[in-house]
Amino acid sequence: MTTFIMCYTASAADAPSSGLTQLDKTEKVTITWAVNPAPPFHIFEGKYASQGIGDVMLNSIIAQLPEAEHTIVRMPHSRISKSVDADINLCFPCLIKRSRSSKWVYSKENVEYLPLGVIAHPDTIAPFLDSNGRVSFKHLIENSQLTFAKPVARKYPDVVQTIVENAKGNPRFETIAGADSATRVLNQLEYGRIDFTLEYPAILTYLTRTEGKSKLQYYYTTELGETPIPGAVGCTNNAWGENVIEHVNEALKSIVDTPDYRASQGFWLSP
């Protein structure tokens, strides 16, 4: 796969006239940003190109850190993960903020996502709903009549990742690879080729905004509940990453309440 690299070197002239987070001009900070094709977080083409949640966030951070040199590198999520594992200096704009991580150092929380939930046609899920309108992901996986699919590189919180790992090898367990795999899974659901998936509702929002009204619905799971999930910027967990995150945290103070930032989150993340 060809990697697209775009270099953006900010200068003081690029910066807004007020509310800036200025880096010490004696300190040269170079930040490599990795982005992947994962709508609605990063959108590379189509009607909403460059308007994803992560796109708006990243552009805002770059504008707030004009003394740094910013390089944006497009690569698949699997390569981003392997690069960070190899201690290569990278930052990723849209991460789920875990309580701890050996590979990432996180910024302050800058967004909240609804939790992973089951996405499927209502007729498929109706027999499995409990009195609270939730569905057990484990019960769906264990049903021999239902086919589950997921993006090949997707990892889940431990409580559901264990269920997924135990289901591998089942003929009704499928993985989908390639660019935009999350939206491709939803397309397979629309066509009736699979029965359910586990996904963030923002992906379904993207599908409906780009392809029109969908019959698919999102359901909370009994395993993960309804607690919002914190999001943050993440950088390689080393001295370089810790330094960059300090600057990112300062930039975020001037970003999180801006109209553009709030509008982006409302557009993609509202239920």
Side-chain angles (χ1 to χ4, degrees):
M1 178 177 293
T2 301
T3 299
F4 174 88
I5 301 179
M6 176 176 67
C7 294
Y8 176 100
T9 304
S11 66
D14 297 321
S17 59
S18 63
L20 279 180
T21 298
Q22 294 283 352
L23 301 184
D24 184 346
K25 292 187 178 182
T26 63
E27 177 186 10
K28 183 64 174 179
V29 178
T30 300
I31 308 174
T32 300
W33 297 98
V35 297
N36 65 326
F41 304 99
H42 295 287
I43 306 173
F44 292 168
E45 55 188 32
K47 178 180 179 180
Y48 296 108
S50 301
Q51 297 178 48
I53 302 166
D55 299 322
V56 172
M57 184 188 310
L58 180 52
N59 290 337
S60 298
I61 291 172
I62 288 173
Q64 289 293 320
L65 299 178
E67 303 302 328
E69 180 179 312
H70 302 269
T71 301
I72 301 173
V73 183
R74 293 183 181 180
M75 60 175 70
H77 188 273
S78 58
R79 186 175 172 192
I80 294 173
S81 183
K82 289 177 181 177
S83 296
V84 174
D85 285 338
D87 204 37
I88 295 173
N89 292 339
L90 288 177
C91 292
F92 190 65
C94 293
L95 278 177
I96 299 301
K97 187 172 184 178
R98 310 295 183 188
S99 57
R100 60 183 179 276
S101 173
S102 60
K103 63 190 293 182
W104 297 104
V105 56
Y106 299 110
S107 72
K108 295 176 182 177
E109 178 182 331
N110 56 16
V111 63
E112 280 192 342
Y113 304 111
L114 289 177
L116 285 162
V118 166
I119 295 180
H121 285 283
D123 290 346
T124 301
I125 299 304
F128 299 92
L129 291 176
D130 65 15
S131 59
N132 295 314
R134 299 180 183 179
V135 61
S136 168
F137 177 65
K138 184 174 186 290
H139 289 168
L140 293 180
I141 283 282
E142 291 175 345
N143 188 289
S144 61
Q145 304 302 310
L146 300 179
T147 299
F148 168 77
K150 64 180 284 291
V152 65
R154 176 61 55 83
K155 301 294 183 184
Y156 301 116
D158 290 345
V159 64
V160 288
Q161 184 65 33
T162 299
I163 298 171
V164 169
E165 293 295 332
N166 290 339
K168 286 182 178 179
N170 186 318
R172 289 190 173 274
F173 180 103
E174 297 183 7
T175 56
I176 295 179
D180 295 346
S181 56
T183 50
R184 291 175 61 213
V185 169
L186 296 193
N187 286 327
Q188 296 296 303
L189 276 170
E190 289 275 21
Y191 301 148
R193 295 171 182 167
I194 60 175
D195 295 299
F196 70 102
T197 190
L198 190 68
E199 191 52 88
Y200 292 102
I203 310 299
L204 182 55
T205 299
Y206 174 78
L207 182 74
T208 57
R209 291 194 181 278
T210 55
E211 300 187 17
K213 188 175 181 180
S214 171
K215 294 181 180 179
L216 300 175
Q217 289 191 21
Y218 161 86
Y219 299 88
Y220 291 116
T221 66
T222 56
E223 290 84 3
L224 297 174
E226 303 178 22
T227 304
I229 305 300
V233 177
C235 296
T236 306
N237 192 358
N238 57 23
W240 173 88
E242 291 177 355
N243 179 47
V244 171
I245 286 297
E246 287 184 11
H247 296 305
V248 169
N249 280 336
E250 285 300 313
L252 288 174
K253 293 178 182 179
S254 300
I255 292 172
V256 294
D257 289 324
T258 60
D260 284 351
Y261 190 75
R262 286 187 172 274
S264 173
Q265 292 193 21
F267 187 77
W268 295 116
L269 299 181
S270 295

